[in-house]
Amino acid sequence: KVCLMELSKRTFEKLECMLREKNLSVHYFGTAFDTVADEGRMMQVITNLATNAIRYSPVGGDIYVTVKRQEGKTLYAMENQCPNLSKEELAQIWDRFFKADSARSSRGTGLGLPIVKAIVELHGGTCQVKNTDTDVEFQFTL
């Protein structure tokens, strides 16, 4: 069992230097509760989502983490301020080696989100991504 809220807080503590470098704030919503999952793998999932959120957030931006129970499942969402993704980008975002904006993503391998999806699916879960008014939100359900 693992508490995804606590795991998120520990992950962002480890990434504190990256947050400070861009003057980013992390906001947490929801409650702390245990979910049946492999802690090491969930740390990898959250770290991949967090580093992407930091990489694509503007200086002085905000990152929102939400963990809640929904219809007997655990819903995890990480949202960050960045330009909305196109329909094509949304459709391909989980594909290996895909980079939404090659000019901005030269630092990554294009493997982080496919790894997230593979781990979540191995846990019997699903992944989603959506545009909000001003942000992009990545979600998984376990």
Side-chain angles (χ1 to χ4, degrees):
K1 290 186 174 189
V2 61
C3 177
L4 296 178
M5 182 66 78
E6 291 305 316
L7 205 57
S8 296
K9 290 178 180 179
R10 287 198 332 247
T11 299
F12 278 108
E13 284 173 12
K14 290 179 181 177
L15 300 172
E16 181 64 31
C17 288
M18 291 174 69
L19 290 169
R20 252 194 322 236
E21 193 174 283
K22 291 184 79 175
N23 192 29
L24 299 173
S25 299
V26 182
H27 309 275
Y28 300 95
F29 301 95
T31 57
F33 57 89
D34 286 340
T35 299
V36 177
D38 179 270
E39 184 172 354
R41 294 294 178 212
M42 286 298 109
M43 175 67 93
Q44 190 174 8
V45 164
I46 293 169
T47 299
N48 285 356
L49 292 175
T51 54
N52 273 359
I54 292 168
R55 182 177 295 141
Y56 295 111
S57 291
V59 172
D62 294 291
I63 298 171
Y64 305 95
V65 175
T66 303
V67 184
K68 63 183 178 180
R69 286 260 186 226
Q70 185 171 297
E71 299 171 9
K73 297 183 178 189
T74 299
L75 173 71
Y76 183 95
M78 188 176 298
E79 183 175 347
N80 66 289
Q81 296 168 311
C82 70
N84 282 171
L85 299 171
S86 70
K87 287 181 182 178
E88 295 80 19
E89 290 168 334
L90 288 170
Q92 294 180 291
I93 200 79
W94 303 106
D95 295 349
R96 284 187 303 159
F97 307 116
F98 177 76
K99 296 179 183 182
D101 180 347
S102 58
R104 291 189 313 173
S105 53
S106 59
R107 292 175 284 175
T109 61
L111 292 173
L113 292 175
I115 289 169
V116 166
K117 186 176 187 227
I119 292 170
V120 168
E121 288 178 349
L122 283 171
H123 281 80
T126 59
C127 294
Q128 303 84 34
V129 60
K130 67 179 183 177
N131 291 321
T132 65
D133 289 340
T134 59
D135 305 340
V136 174
E137 180 178 275
F138 288 87
Q139 298 179 352
F140 66 85
T141 305
L142 297 176

